[in-house]
């Protein structure tokens, strides 16, 4: 079981950006958390982050035939990117959406998720634990 974990713009600023919303832990801490949890779950992960929409689209396309599933936090592109939605639909890999914060209880513009339309499930508002939930979900969905 090999999962691709994708993180979108500004998530590299975790720990610095709006800690009252996203917490005080850094992006490095998030990567360490995901790797530790993945090991415990017995799955292989590749973790990538980009501030550029096209990188995320390229990585989703390249995952075709190489990964068993995708965990994606598209960050701000969640609410704007039809290109990421289309890429997820194109590869048809089982995908799960994660958000550290609860996007439904924030500004109204965060309530729309394009990427989420191509995802089997969304975990939001659970902080780092959402990534573990997503990996667990994909492991049981794919098996
Ligand atoms: C986020 C929520 C998005 O609305 C926001 O643009 C982010 C992070 C989250 O993880 O809570 O950058 O995806």
């Amino acid at each position: 079981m090999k999962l691709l974990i994708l993180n979108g713009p500004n998530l590299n600023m975790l720990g610095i950006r709006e800690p009252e919303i996203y917490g005080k832990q850094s992006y490095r801490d998030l990567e360490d958390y995901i790797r530790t949890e993945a090991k415990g779950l017995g799955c292989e992960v590749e973790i990538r982050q980009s501030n550029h929409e096209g990188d995320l689209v390229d990585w989703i396309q390249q995952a075709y035939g190489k990964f068993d599933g995708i965990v994606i936090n598209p960050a701000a592109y969640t609410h704007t990117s039809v290109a990421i939605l289309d890429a997820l639909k194109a590869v048809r890999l089982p995908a799960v959406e994660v958000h550290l914060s609860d996007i439904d209880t924030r500004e109204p513009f965060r309530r729309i998720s394009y990427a989420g339309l191509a995802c089997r499930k969304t975990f939001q508002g659970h902080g780092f634990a959402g990534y573990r939930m997503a990996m667990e979900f994909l492991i049981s969905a794919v098996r």
Side-chain angles (χ1 to χ4, degrees):
M1 169 72 59
K2 206 171 161 191
L3 301 178
L4 178 62
I5 317 288
L6 293 180
N7 288 309
N10 300 305
L11 289 169
N12 57 312
M13 296 293 283
L14 284 180
I16 297 164
R17 77 180 286 212
E18 302 177 275
E20 65 287 359
I21 296 173
Y22 300 112
K24 288 182 183 152
Q25 288 181 285
S26 67
Y27 183 71
R28 183 70 196 273
D29 292 334
L30 175 61
E31 286 191 329
D32 290 345
Y33 173 82
I34 294 169
R35 283 204 186 91
T36 305
E37 294 301 320
K39 206 172 169 188
L41 292 168
C43 71
E44 213 181 301
V45 284
E46 194 161 314
I47 309 168
R48 298 193 193 147
Q49 187 275 332
S50 179
N51 294 327
H52 306 279
E53 186 177 15
D55 285 344
L56 296 161
V57 170
D58 286 344
W59 292 337
I60 292 166
Q61 290 183 6
Q62 288 157 14
Y64 182 76
K66 291 197 189 105
F67 289 89
D68 302 302
I70 298 175
V71 173
I72 184 163
N73 181 348
Y77 290 137
T78 306
H79 321 296
T80 61
S81 180
V82 176
I84 290 173
L85 166 65
D86 285 349
L88 289 168
K89 281 182 161 180
V91 297
R92 300 183 78 175
L93 285 167
V96 175
E97 176 186 23
V98 173
H99 298 286
L100 297 164
S101 64
D102 181 2
I103 56 173
D104 286 332
T105 57
R106 297 181 61 192
E107 303 94 322
F109 64 83
R110 294 188 203 273
R111 284 184 204 146
I112 288 172
S113 168
Y114 290 103
L117 298 171
C119 291
R120 293 198 185 183
K121 183 114 183 140
T122 298
F123 294 100
Q124 59 189 56
H126 302 288
F128 284 10
Y131 288 82
R132 183 199 157 87
M133 293 171 183
M135 291 190 287
E136 269 178 325
F137 178 88
L138 278 175
I139 290 164
S140 52
V142 170
R143 261 182 203 143

